[in-house]
Amino acid sequence: MLGWPERASPATCRDYLLTAWTGRSPGPAIERWIMAGADRAAVAEAAVGRIDEWLQQHAPRTRAALRPPASEPDLAAAQEAVGQPLPPDLRAWWLYADGAHFGPQADGGRLIPPGFVPYPIVEALKSRRLWMDVARQIAPVDQLEAFVNSENSRSAGTRCETWLPAWLPVATNHGGGNLFVDLRGGPKNGCVMEFHRDTGALAEPVWADVAAMFYDIADRLTENEAQLDNAGRIFWR
């Protein structure tokens, strides 16, 4: 973990905090939002706007694969499934696009590095039910319930091999891996983590939250870190 910079100016401290939040050096757009006191939804909306503009110009196939905005009933279903309000930045994303179309005919590449496709809400909830069913099948019910309750009460960002009720999938690599938002309590509430069928979620959070994820993607796209094929689909180096 980075140490706090000694004898730093206010501007240096601001840049330090933004770098720690996003994992990248802050650009002028994100600085304006943070300095204005914008919430996570506003940061996500700004980042998604940059992504949309870039996709239209450079990766039309990936842009065309994105679905229309999610409906309020679908958002309510996701909220009911996890038993708490959706993070504002996740809600902002799904109000822009309800994930991507699935299937070979709708293949738009991998919008989220290193190789994930965003879930529609219906598919996200289906994946969540699948992983919870798998957990029930591989452990005795009485032992599983006590374990899950214990792990589900720990702070967000804590590693766990078993899928937990407070985890909400947001993307898939179509190979047994998911990105999910950890909705447990604590300072890392809303962080984005990886779950793989063979190992569970054993790594540190990939992004601090959904807003940071899309800000990072927007930066990577504008810095030409994505690879495009002849059909206008995104892949990552």
Side-chain angles (χ1 to χ4, degrees):
M1 185 173 182
L2 295 174
W4 185 259
E6 296 182 4
R7 296 185 296 279
S9 67
T12 300
C13 292
R14 179 196 65 219
D15 287 357
Y16 173 86
L17 289 170
L18 289 171
T19 301
W21 178 57
T22 64
R24 304 174 69 85
S25 297
I30 198 70
E31 286 191 43
R32 287 196 295 271
W33 282 106
I34 297 299
M35 295 302 287
D39 61 16
R40 280 162 51 181
V43 174
E45 288 168 5
V48 168
R50 291 170 59 203
I51 292 170
D52 185 87
E53 182 178 355
W54 193 94
L55 293 179
Q56 292 188 54
Q57 293 180 11
H58 302 284
R61 179 73 174 268
T62 298
R63 178 63 183 85
L66 295 178
R67 293 165 50 88
S71 68
E72 286 297 335
D74 282 340
L75 290 166
Q79 181 169 302
E80 182 178 359
V82 294
Q84 58 183 293
L86 299 178
D89 46 354
L90 176 57
R91 182 179 173 86
W93 158 246
W94 274 335
L95 284 173
Y96 160 76
D98 184 17
H101 293 286
F102 274 39
Q105 300 301 320
D107 182 18
R110 309 287 169 133
L111 177 62
I112 303 174
F116 289 92
V117 179
Y119 269 131
I121 292 177
V122 170
E123 295 296 330
L125 297 182
K126 186 184 299 183
S127 175
R128 178 177 177 273
R129 289 192 297 269
L130 171 64
W131 289 120
M132 292 178 69
D133 286 344
V134 169
R136 283 191 288 266
Q137 292 170 9
I138 62 177
V141 174
D142 55 342
Q143 296 179 23
L144 175 66
E145 183 176 0
F147 174 78
V148 167
N149 288 340
S150 174
E151 291 295 319
N152 209 51
S153 65
R154 299 178 71 188
S155 295
T158 305
R159 304 174 185 185
C160 185
E161 298 179 6
T162 301
W163 191 273
L164 301 176
W167 291 355
L168 181 58
V170 293
T172 177
N173 65 4
H174 291 303
N178 278 189
L179 287 178
F180 68 88
V181 175
D182 192 342
L183 299 178
R184 290 178 290 178
K188 294 184 180 180
N189 171 265
C191 65
V192 181
M193 301 180 69
E194 286 190 34
F195 180 92
H196 294 278
R197 62 186 174 193
D198 296 328
T199 59
L202 298 184
E204 293 296 315
V206 186
W207 288 282
D209 49 40
V210 171
M213 179 176 74
F214 283 112
Y215 173 68
D216 185 31
I217 294 170
D219 260 12
R220 293 190 187 199
L221 292 176
T222 56
E223 293 169 8
N224 297 316
E225 293 186 17
Q227 185 174 354
L228 299 174
D229 66 9
N230 293 332
R233 295 177 296 190
I234 288 178
F235 298 92
W236 295 93
R237 300 187 177 104

